[in-house]
Amino acid sequence: MVSVMNTIDTGHEDMIHDAAMDYYGTRLATCSSDRSVKIFDVKNGTQILAADLRGHEGPVWQVAWAHPMFGNLLASCSYDRKVIIWKETSGQWNKLYEYANHDSSVNSISWAPHDYGLMLTCGSSDGAVSIIFSSGDGNWETKKITNAHTIGCNAVSWAPAVASCSLPDQNSSAGKPSKRFVTGGCDNLVKIWREDEGQWMEEQKLEGHSDWVRDVAWAPSIGLPHQIIASCSQDRRVIIWRNDGVTGSAWTSVILHTFDDVVWHVSWSVTGNILAVSGGDNKVRGLRVSYAVTTRE
């Protein structure tokens, strides 16, 4: 049984679209249709508003914290076609970088594993996926995958930085991980992308959903050779995709569950065996994922 530990009055004036805890679990970022991003200090059952960030000109869909090795950085994306990276310096939050090179709403953002440096992936309704990265010198570079998904991209999620023995890559140096992320789109497809000599290539196209894919989540690495991806869709299904890490092996799929309403989001536990699922029925469910048995909690 799950119980409510704490309730936070965010003070947002419209619908809240996302909430994310930082690496240490002491700060909460929220975003809303009121065009704002808010940051709260959360300690000992109390919360204090630390920042109210205004910079977007439309509903803010998602927020994402960077790894703390890069400092206190928070990214946000919005219907206004912008991605903003915010940085805290001496207790004050300011805009560090603004990316405005999409032609439609930016729906999803995901930071790469810190092993790859400061790198952010963004999925947009214009069908493109952008990769924003910096070496830490204050300069930012970008790459774009045009027409990644017909009609639009709804979700992005990075693969963990694992050795190349998982999902082998003949073009990689031995033991060097390949950069990969997964996307989900309005074309009902889940796609896996891999960096090859500085260019991003479509590695796999996974077909299994019959309606828009609303979210994707690559499971964390727990030392096993296989890779797991979860996806959810307006077709009311959650699908688990698996690759056993053997050279030439294909991705296989199993329908984890079919719900009574649209499924909006999926998120893995840090151990990779519990999948949180939220949907149009306003409920959050925990699904225990194993290789022989799947149960609902």
Side-chain angles (χ1 to χ4, degrees), residues 178-228:
S178 298
K179 297 188 183 81
R180 285 180 172 88
F181 60 81
V182 61
T183 58
C186 301
D187 51 9
N188 308 347
L189 297 174
V190 173
K191 293 186 178 183
I192 297 171
W193 306 87
R194 173 175 55 84
E195 188 184 44
D196 186 3
E197 297 183 354
Q199 300 299 316
W200 286 95
M201 314 294 292
E202 181 184 310
E203 184 176 67
Q204 295 284 341
K205 181 187 296 181
L206 307 179
E207 302 180 52
H209 287 292
S210 58
D211 208 333
W212 289 14
V213 179
R214 280 299 180 178
D215 201 11
V216 289
W218 205 307
S221 174
I222 54 173
L224 298 175
H226 51 253
Q227 295 284 306
I228 301 289

Side-chain angles (χ1 to χ4, degrees), residues 241-283:
W241 307 87
R242 172 172 169 158
N243 185 292
D244 289 327
V246 179
T247 302
S249 65
W251 286 84
T252 59
S253 66
V254 61
I255 298 174
L256 186 62
H257 193 76
T258 301
F259 292 90
D260 295 328
D261 208 331
V262 55
V263 188
W264 295 115
H265 291 294
V266 285
S267 179
W268 291 99
S269 65
V270 293
T271 55
N273 66 333
I274 301 291
L275 184 70
V277 179
S278 62
D281 59 1
N282 296 324
K283 294 179 181 178

Side-chain angles (χ1 to χ4, degrees), residues 150-172:
T150 305
I151 308 176
C153 177
N154 295 321
V156 294
S157 177
W158 276 85
V162 294
S164 59
C165 59
S166 277
L167 292 181
D169 180 1
Q170 300 299 325
N171 298 318
S172 290

Side-chain angles (χ1 to χ4, degrees), residues 46 55 69 76 112 132 134 143 156 171 195 225-226 252 266 284-285:
T46 63
M69 71 177 292
S76 58
I132 307 170
S134 173
K143 292 184 179 180
V156 294
N171 298 318
E195 188 184 44
H226 51 253
T252 59
V266 285
V284 178
R285 296 174 173 87

Side-chain angles (χ1 to χ4, degrees), residues 46 82 101 223:
T46 63
K82 293 189 225 175
N101 198 27

Side-chain angles (χ1 to χ4, degrees), residues 228 230 238 240 254 256 268 272-275 286-295:
I228 301 289
V238 174
I240 299 297
V254 61
L256 186 62
W268 291 99
N273 66 333
I274 301 291
L275 184 70
L287 305 184
R288 186 178 299 276
V289 181
S290 67
Y291 309 110
V293 179
T294 301
T295 59

